[in-house]
Amino acid sequence: MTNMRIPRIPTLREINIREKRVFMRIDINVPIDPDKGEILDDRRIRVHSQTIKEIVEKYSPALVLGSHQGRPGEPDFITLERHAELLSKYTGYDIKFVNDVIGPTAREAIRKLKPGEILLLDNLRLVSEEVIEATPEKQSYTIFVRRLAPLFDAYVNDAFATAHRSQPSIVGFPLVLPSAAGPLFEKEIMALKRVVESFESPRIFVLGGTKVRDLLRVIENLVRNKMADRILTTGLLAQLFLVAKGIGLGKENMRFLEEKGILPLIPKARYVLLMGAPVETPIDFKVLIDGETRNVSIGEINGKIMDIGEQTTRIYSEFIKDAKIVVMRGPAGVIEDERFRNGTIKLLDAAYNSKAFVLIGGGHLSSMIDESKLNEHIHVSTGGNALLLFLSGETLPALKALELSAKMFLG
Ligand SMILES: Nc1ncnc2c1ncn2[C@@H]1O[C@H](COP(=O)(O)OP(=O)(O)OP(=O)(O)O)[C@@H](O)[C@H]1O
Ligand SMILES: O=C(O)[C@H](O)COP(=O)(O)O
């Protein structure tokens, strides 16, 4: 068992929401086409639709949903009208939408809502207080919370993917209303528990993509808490570790790593290696050279590294097949180009075919999943940064707020 512990959080079995007025925070923040403003991938909306259905069928509350979408000033900061249409489509319920958050129109719509009915508020980040991070105590005094909380009997947090934000809709309501984690949040926590609190091994972490700084923090924590038997590196993380081990990647790749701000992380990578991090690095890569793709071994790299190579894919897949716990985050290669998806697809295939409990996180990797191959041993997390921060040992503010709420309202 590892040294990490998850706080006990209240669930829907511990508060009464039957036919009550409930505010539920969800996270239907999805990728948006920056030119057309259209939703590119609605996985999070589909996943939340299931739990919304579950709650309405079981408890018939007057259910008000709140989510953010993007960040103010960014092209993905849009209203939630289209999200409401998709929620209606996937739940089969008529989900009302109000283009307001805390103003008189929203409050009137909330007051009018009857048990069994569902209302989606507009993008919560239209309220400037929602983008400020502060303690739960402070957030419980925001105008946001003071305007809405009196209209509700209970608060439910089903937004695991936003659990790392200390914003009013995440941490403010639990201090003023009886609160619980929703079914999706609970499922995500159960998956994390399985990873951090179990005795099963081998435990394999497959880490790739570009968020190298964050991944180094995760690895440091994995070592400190004795959580990983092997860390299979891919993506830019693998390139950093190869450079840290003194292996040359050629001018083109070194220039790329420099442009991405990754070279200053070499001392940190050497430090985690010295700490005993069980980091494995690729032995070959798929490279792009003069417009052609080629499989090359390390030591003879020429051209731009685009994916892990065939031998590495085979060896990593063997490790995954024999594992008991597998955590995957970040793609192995430049998946935007279909010539360089093979490594990622094969590693995912190994995970589907293994007997391990598999936790898959992050938007890019999740977009590569073949849903027809998923089974009960695989948990595809809605969390990206929340998952990563949790695994790097940080206390998620949403968990802390729900724990405080339980002490205040449930004794
Ligand atoms: N060898 C490589 N060279 C350049 N980019 C790479 C390489 N391998 C992977 N990538 C890039 O990694 C990116 C995805 O990494 P990222 O860390 O954002 O994924 P993620 O874990 O799914 O995160 P998120 O949840 O934010 O999507 C892709 O755009 C892919 O092109
Ligand atoms: O996608 C995410 O990680 C969550 O929706 C949180 O979004 P944020 O990083 O804009 O707070």
Side-chain angles (χ1 to χ4, degrees):
M1 187 150 74
T2 69
N3 298 331
M4 277 174 80
R5 282 288 171 278
I6 300 179
R8 199 196 73 81
I9 49 165
T11 67
L12 285 180
R13 294 176 290 284
E14 288 155 85
I15 63 167
N16 179 13
I17 62 161
R18 187 169 307 281
E19 298 190 6
K20 301 281 186 203
R21 314 191 69 73
V22 176
F23 178 47
M24 180 155 91
R25 178 57 156 100
I26 57 176
D27 182 344
I28 46 173
N29 174 36
V30 287
I32 302 292
D33 181 323
D35 302 318
K36 300 189 192 127
E38 284 167 11
I39 293 173
L40 290 172
D41 173 34
D42 62 9
R43 190 173 178 275
R44 278 187 179 167
I45 301 178
R46 282 185 281 126
V47 173
H48 274 290
S49 295
Q50 277 181 22
T51 53
I52 292 165
K53 256 175 86 171
E54 220 178 290
I55 288 176
V56 173
E57 275 160 22
K58 217 164 167 183
Y59 304 104
S60 199
L63 186 62
V64 177
L65 306 169
S67 174
H68 71 285
Q69 168 62 59
R71 299 174 187 178
E74 300 293 330
D76 62 349
F77 185 63
I78 60 169
T79 80
L80 299 191
E81 218 161 337
R82 179 75 190 123
H83 299 61
E85 287 167 13
L86 288 171
L87 281 174
S88 295
K89 177 177 153 192
Y90 293 129
T91 56
Y93 288 107
D94 170 32
I95 299 204
K96 300 176 206 305
F97 172 72
V98 60
N99 65 354
D100 187 15
V101 180
I102 60 169
T105 320
R107 298 207 308 275
E108 187 54 21
I110 296 170
R111 275 194 208 98
K112 279 193 182 147
L113 205 68
K114 297 193 187 73
E117 291 182 340
I118 312 167
L119 169 74
L120 176 67
L121 300 179
D122 210 341
N123 191 339
L124 299 182
R125 290 184 180 170
L126 283 162
V127 178
S128 55
E129 282 177 325
E130 179 64 6
V131 288
I132 299 169
E133 306 233 14
T135 60
E137 290 74 15
K138 237 177 158 176
Q139 301 294 28
S140 68
Y141 287 108
T142 51
I143 297 170
F144 188 133
V145 173
R146 281 187 288 151
R147 287 258 163 97
L148 292 191
L151 307 177
F152 295 104
D153 302 308
Y155 166 84
V156 176
N157 188 346
D158 214 17
F160 172 75
T162 324
H164 57 306
R165 299 279 174 227
S166 203
Q167 292 165 342
S169 71
I170 299 289
V171 301
F173 289 94
L175 267 61
V176 295
L177 287 171
S179 301
L184 178 62
F185 201 117
E186 209 189 333
K187 204 168 150 201
E188 298 272 14
I189 295 297
M190 294 308 285
L192 286 173
K193 262 191 199 291
R194 180 93 191 259
V195 172
V196 304
E197 291 184 357
S198 86
F199 291 94
E200 298 158 289
S201 70
R203 310 157 67 84
I204 308 280
F205 285 71
V206 189
L207 304 179
T210 54
K211 298 194 174 79
V212 176
R213 188 182 296 273
D214 294 337
L215 290 172
L216 281 176
R217 266 172 56 208
V218 173
I219 293 174
E220 203 179 339
N221 189 55
L222 295 179
V223 178
R224 198 173 308 120
N225 290 306
K226 301 188 179 65
M227 280 174 66
D229 293 309
R230 275 185 209 275
I231 300 168
L232 311 180
T233 62
T234 66
L236 296 187
L237 182 70
Q239 296 186 39
L240 169 69
F241 275 111
L242 283 167
V243 176
K245 287 176 178 178
I247 293 163
L249 299 179
K251 264 193 207 140
E252 194 175 343
N253 296 305
M254 290 304 283
R255 204 179 316 120
F256 184 73
L257 293 178
E258 189 175 5
E259 277 165 22
K260 290 275 174 196
I262 288 174
L263 293 184
L265 300 174
I266 293 172
K268 179 79 178 206
R270 289 194 175 131
Y271 170 76
V272 295
L273 287 172
L274 196 61
M275 273 174 81
V279 167
E280 311 292 349
T281 44
I283 54 169
D284 62 344
F285 284 109
K286 191 63 82 52
V287 298
L288 187 62
I289 181 159
D290 300 328
E292 302 274 315
T293 67
R294 212 173 286 164
N295 202 88
V296 295
S297 299
I298 57 162
E300 51 186 48
I301 293 172
N302 197 4
K304 167 96 172 60
I305 296 173
M306 301 296 276
D307 194 3
I308 53 172
E310 282 157 21
Q311 280 195 65
T312 306
T313 304
R314 211 172 313 119
I315 296 167
Y316 278 11
S317 297
E318 290 302 316
F319 285 136
I320 293 171
K321 278 182 193 149
D322 291 340
K324 287 280 165 39
I325 300 271
V326 176
V327 179
M328 305 178 91
R329 170 88 215 252
V334 183
I335 51 168
E336 290 81 355
D337 183 332
E338 57 185 316
R339 292 172 297 174
F340 306 112
R341 285 183 191 159
N342 187 57
T344 305
I345 290 174
K346 289 272 165 59
L347 297 185
L348 283 169
D349 274 341
Y352 307 140
N353 295 329
S354 79
K355 294 213 165 50
F357 174 70
V358 181
L359 176 57
I360 299 173
H364 284 85
L365 194 57
S366 304
S367 73
M368 295 299 292
I369 283 171
D370 180 343
E371 298 205 7
S372 70
K373 293 183 179 164
L374 293 180
N375 58 51
E376 68 281 10
H377 299 295
I378 302 173
H379 177 75
V380 184
S381 177
T382 50
N385 284 340
L387 184 76
L388 212 58
L389 285 167
F390 177 85
L391 289 174
S392 63
E394 295 194 10
T395 309
L396 298 180
L399 285 173
K400 200 173 130 203
L402 286 172
E403 205 186 8
L404 279 171
S405 184
K407 282 187 192 135
M408 291 168 72
F409 294 97
L410 305 176

